[in-house]
Short mmCIF file of all heavy atoms in Angstrom, two decimals:
data_model
loop_
_atom_site.label_atom_id
_atom_site.label_comp_id
_atom_site.label_asym_id
_atom_site.label_seq_id
_atom_site.Cartn_x
_atom_site.Cartn_y
_atom_site.Cartn_z
N GLY A 1 -32.11 112.16 119.13
CA GLY A 1 -30.88 111.50 118.70
C GLY A 1 -31.17 110.27 117.86
O GLY A 1 -30.55 110.07 116.80
N ILE A 2 -32.11 109.45 118.32
CA ILE A 2 -32.47 108.26 117.54
C ILE A 2 -33.03 108.67 116.19
O ILE A 2 -32.71 108.07 115.15
CB ILE A 2 -33.49 107.40 118.33
CG1 ILE A 2 -32.79 106.72 119.51
CG2 ILE A 2 -34.12 106.34 117.42
CD1 ILE A 2 -33.72 105.94 120.40
N ALA A 3 -33.88 109.72 116.17
CA ALA A 3 -34.46 110.17 114.91
C ALA A 3 -33.37 110.60 113.92
O ALA A 3 -33.38 110.21 112.75
CB ALA A 3 -35.43 111.33 115.17
N VAL A 4 -32.43 111.40 114.39
CA VAL A 4 -31.37 111.90 113.52
C VAL A 4 -30.47 110.76 113.04
O VAL A 4 -30.17 110.64 111.84
CB VAL A 4 -30.53 112.96 114.25
CG1 VAL A 4 -29.27 113.30 113.45
CG2 VAL A 4 -31.35 114.22 114.49
N LEU A 5 -30.06 109.89 113.97
CA LEU A 5 -29.11 108.84 113.61
C LEU A 5 -29.75 107.75 112.75
O LEU A 5 -29.09 107.18 111.88
CB LEU A 5 -28.50 108.25 114.88
CG LEU A 5 -27.65 109.23 115.69
CD1 LEU A 5 -27.10 108.57 116.94
CD2 LEU A 5 -26.51 109.79 114.85
N VAL A 6 -31.02 107.45 113.00
CA VAL A 6 -31.72 106.48 112.13
C VAL A 6 -31.83 107.05 110.71
O VAL A 6 -31.65 106.32 109.72
CB VAL A 6 -33.11 106.14 112.70
CG1 VAL A 6 -33.96 105.44 111.65
CG2 VAL A 6 -32.98 105.25 113.93
N THR A 7 -32.11 108.33 110.61
CA THR A 7 -32.19 108.97 109.29
C THR A 7 -30.85 108.90 108.57
O THR A 7 -30.77 108.58 107.38
CB THR A 7 -32.63 110.44 109.44
OG1 THR A 7 -33.89 110.48 110.13
CG2 THR A 7 -32.79 111.09 108.09
N ILE A 8 -29.77 109.20 109.29
CA ILE A 8 -28.43 109.14 108.71
C ILE A 8 -28.08 107.71 108.29
O ILE A 8 -27.56 107.47 107.18
CB ILE A 8 -27.39 109.66 109.72
CG1 ILE A 8 -27.56 111.18 109.89
CG2 ILE A 8 -25.97 109.33 109.28
CD1 ILE A 8 -26.73 111.76 111.01
N ALA A 9 -28.39 106.75 109.17
CA ALA A 9 -28.10 105.35 108.85
C ALA A 9 -28.88 104.88 107.64
O ALA A 9 -28.34 104.19 106.75
CB ALA A 9 -28.41 104.47 110.05
N SER A 10 -30.15 105.25 107.58
CA SER A 10 -30.99 104.82 106.45
C SER A 10 -30.50 105.43 105.14
O SER A 10 -30.46 104.75 104.10
CB SER A 10 -32.44 105.22 106.72
OG SER A 10 -33.27 104.83 105.66
N ALA A 11 -30.11 106.71 105.19
CA ALA A 11 -29.62 107.36 103.97
C ALA A 11 -28.31 106.70 103.50
O ALA A 11 -28.11 106.50 102.30
CB ALA A 11 -29.39 108.84 104.25
N ARG A 12 -27.45 106.37 104.44
CA ARG A 12 -26.17 105.71 104.08
C ARG A 12 -26.42 104.33 103.50
O ARG A 12 -25.80 103.93 102.51
CB ARG A 12 -25.28 105.60 105.32
CG ARG A 12 -23.93 104.93 105.05
CD ARG A 12 -23.05 105.84 104.22
NE ARG A 12 -21.75 105.23 103.92
CZ ARG A 12 -21.48 104.55 102.82
NH1 ARG A 12 -22.44 104.38 101.89
NH2 ARG A 12 -20.29 104.05 102.61
N THR A 13 -27.36 103.60 104.09
CA THR A 13 -27.69 102.26 103.59
C THR A 13 -28.27 102.35 102.19
O THR A 13 -27.93 101.55 101.29
CB THR A 13 -28.69 101.57 104.53
OG1 THR A 13 -28.09 101.41 105.82
CG2 THR A 13 -29.11 100.21 104.00
N SER A 14 -29.15 103.33 101.96
CA SER A 14 -29.81 103.46 100.65
C SER A 14 -28.83 103.86 99.56
O SER A 14 -28.97 103.45 98.41
CB SER A 14 -30.93 104.51 100.75
OG SER A 14 -31.90 104.12 101.70
N SER A 15 -27.84 104.68 99.93
CA SER A 15 -26.89 105.16 98.91
C SER A 15 -25.75 104.19 98.65
O SER A 15 -24.98 104.37 97.70
CB SER A 15 -26.31 106.51 99.35
OG SER A 15 -25.55 106.36 100.54
N ALA A 16 -25.61 103.18 99.51
CA ALA A 16 -24.49 102.24 99.37
C ALA A 16 -24.74 101.28 98.22
O ALA A 16 -25.88 100.94 97.89
CB ALA A 16 -24.28 101.47 100.67
N SER A 17 -23.64 100.83 97.62
CA SER A 17 -23.77 99.83 96.56
C SER A 17 -24.02 98.45 97.13
O SER A 17 -24.53 97.56 96.45
CB SER A 17 -22.49 99.81 95.71
OG SER A 17 -21.35 99.55 96.53
N ALA A 18 -23.66 98.26 98.40
CA ALA A 18 -23.91 96.97 99.07
C ALA A 18 -25.38 96.82 99.40
O ALA A 18 -26.10 97.81 99.57
CB ALA A 18 -23.07 96.88 100.34
N HIS A 19 -25.82 95.58 99.51
CA HIS A 19 -27.23 95.31 99.79
C HIS A 19 -27.34 94.38 100.99
O HIS A 19 -26.37 93.76 101.43
CB HIS A 19 -27.91 94.67 98.57
CG HIS A 19 -27.91 95.55 97.36
ND1 HIS A 19 -28.71 96.66 97.23
CD2 HIS A 19 -27.15 95.49 96.22
CE1 HIS A 19 -28.49 97.25 96.07
NE2 HIS A 19 -27.53 96.56 95.43
N GLY A 20 -28.57 94.29 101.53
CA GLY A 20 -28.83 93.38 102.64
C GLY A 20 -28.07 93.79 103.89
O GLY A 20 -27.93 94.97 104.22
N ALA A 21 -27.53 92.79 104.58
CA ALA A 21 -26.84 93.04 105.85
C ALA A 21 -25.61 93.94 105.66
O ALA A 21 -25.30 94.75 106.53
CB ALA A 21 -26.42 91.71 106.49
N ALA A 22 -24.93 93.81 104.52
CA ALA A 22 -23.75 94.63 104.27
C ALA A 22 -24.11 96.11 104.21
O ALA A 22 -23.40 96.98 104.74
CB ALA A 22 -23.06 94.20 102.98
N GLY A 23 -25.25 96.42 103.58
CA GLY A 23 -25.71 97.80 103.53
C GLY A 23 -26.12 98.32 104.90
O GLY A 23 -25.85 99.48 105.23
N LEU A 24 -26.75 97.46 105.70
CA LEU A 24 -27.13 97.85 107.06
C LEU A 24 -25.90 98.21 107.89
O LEU A 24 -25.91 99.18 108.65
CB LEU A 24 -27.91 96.72 107.74
CG LEU A 24 -29.31 96.42 107.21
CD1 LEU A 24 -29.89 95.21 107.92
CD2 LEU A 24 -30.23 97.62 107.40
N VAL A 25 -24.85 97.42 107.75
CA VAL A 25 -23.63 97.66 108.53
C VAL A 25 -23.05 99.03 108.20
O VAL A 25 -22.62 99.78 109.09
CB VAL A 25 -22.59 96.55 108.27
CG1 VAL A 25 -21.22 96.96 108.82
CG2 VAL A 25 -23.04 95.25 108.90
N LEU A 26 -23.04 99.40 106.92
CA LEU A 26 -22.53 100.72 106.54
C LEU A 26 -23.34 101.83 107.19
O LEU A 26 -22.80 102.84 107.64
CB LEU A 26 -22.56 100.87 105.02
CG LEU A 26 -21.60 99.95 104.24
CD1 LEU A 26 -21.83 100.11 102.74
CD2 LEU A 26 -20.15 100.28 104.59
N GLY A 27 -24.66 101.64 107.25
CA GLY A 27 -25.51 102.62 107.92
C GLY A 27 -25.24 102.70 109.41
O GLY A 27 -25.18 103.80 109.99
N TYR A 28 -25.08 101.55 110.05
CA TYR A 28 -24.79 101.53 111.49
C TYR A 28 -23.45 102.21 111.78
O TYR A 28 -23.32 102.95 112.76
CB TYR A 28 -24.76 100.09 112.02
CG TYR A 28 -26.06 99.33 111.87
CD1 TYR A 28 -26.08 97.93 111.86
CD2 TYR A 28 -27.27 100.00 111.71
CE1 TYR A 28 -27.26 97.23 111.72
CE2 TYR A 28 -28.46 99.30 111.57
CZ TYR A 28 -28.44 97.91 111.57
OH TYR A 28 -29.62 97.21 111.44
N GLN A 29 -22.46 101.94 110.95
CA GLN A 29 -21.15 102.57 111.15
C GLN A 29 -21.27 104.10 111.14
O GLN A 29 -20.69 104.79 111.99
CB GLN A 29 -20.18 102.11 110.06
CG GLN A 29 -19.75 100.66 110.16
CD GLN A 29 -18.93 100.22 108.96
OE1 GLN A 29 -18.93 100.87 107.92
NE2 GLN A 29 -18.24 99.10 109.08
N GLN A 30 -22.02 104.61 110.16
CA GLN A 30 -22.19 106.05 110.06
C GLN A 30 -22.91 106.61 111.28
O GLN A 30 -22.53 107.66 111.81
CB GLN A 30 -22.97 106.38 108.78
CG GLN A 30 -23.03 107.85 108.44
CD GLN A 30 -21.78 108.34 107.74
OE1 GLN A 30 -20.85 107.57 107.54
NE2 GLN A 30 -21.74 109.62 107.40
N ALA A 31 -23.96 105.92 111.73
CA ALA A 31 -24.73 106.39 112.89
C ALA A 31 -23.86 106.41 114.15
O ALA A 31 -23.91 107.38 114.92
CB ALA A 31 -25.94 105.48 113.10
N PHE A 32 -23.08 105.37 114.37
CA PHE A 32 -22.21 105.34 115.55
C PHE A 32 -21.17 106.46 115.49
O PHE A 32 -20.84 107.07 116.52
CB PHE A 32 -21.51 103.98 115.66
CG PHE A 32 -22.40 102.87 116.16
CD1 PHE A 32 -22.49 101.67 115.46
CD2 PHE A 32 -23.16 103.02 117.31
CE1 PHE A 32 -23.30 100.64 115.90
CE2 PHE A 32 -23.97 102.00 117.77
CZ PHE A 32 -24.05 100.80 117.07
N LEU A 33 -20.64 106.72 114.31
CA LEU A 33 -19.63 107.76 114.17
C LEU A 33 -20.21 109.14 114.51
O LEU A 33 -19.60 109.91 115.28
CB LEU A 33 -19.08 107.76 112.74
CG LEU A 33 -17.99 108.80 112.44
CD1 LEU A 33 -16.77 108.59 113.34
CD2 LEU A 33 -17.60 108.75 110.96
N ILE A 34 -21.37 109.45 113.98
CA ILE A 34 -22.01 110.74 114.28
C ILE A 34 -22.39 110.80 115.76
O ILE A 34 -22.26 111.85 116.41
CB ILE A 34 -23.23 110.97 113.39
CG1 ILE A 34 -22.83 110.92 111.90
CG2 ILE A 34 -23.90 112.29 113.72
CD1 ILE A 34 -21.82 111.95 111.50
N GLY A 35 -22.87 109.68 116.30
CA GLY A 35 -23.21 109.63 117.72
C GLY A 35 -22.01 109.93 118.60
O GLY A 35 -22.12 110.61 119.63
N SER A 36 -20.83 109.45 118.20
CA SER A 36 -19.63 109.72 118.98
C SER A 36 -19.30 111.21 118.96
O SER A 36 -18.82 111.76 119.97
CB SER A 36 -18.44 108.91 118.43
OG SER A 36 -17.97 109.42 117.20
#
């Protein structure tokens, strides 16, 4: 689960136009959503 969700979060962060902490938040949001 951690492997899959970290991969999803990282991909979302990398594809986002936001950078730094803002990009991390977008990745975390996606990971939590898939985890749910």
Side-chain angles (χ1 to χ4, degrees):
I2 289 175
V4 170
L5 295 179
V6 166
T7 303
I8 290 171
S10 180
R12 180 70 181 94
T13 298
S14 299
S15 64
S17 57
H19 299 286
L24 291 176
V25 167
L26 293 175
Y28 299 158
Q29 290 173 343
Q30 189 81 358
F32 285 129
L33 180 60
I34 302 300
S36 73

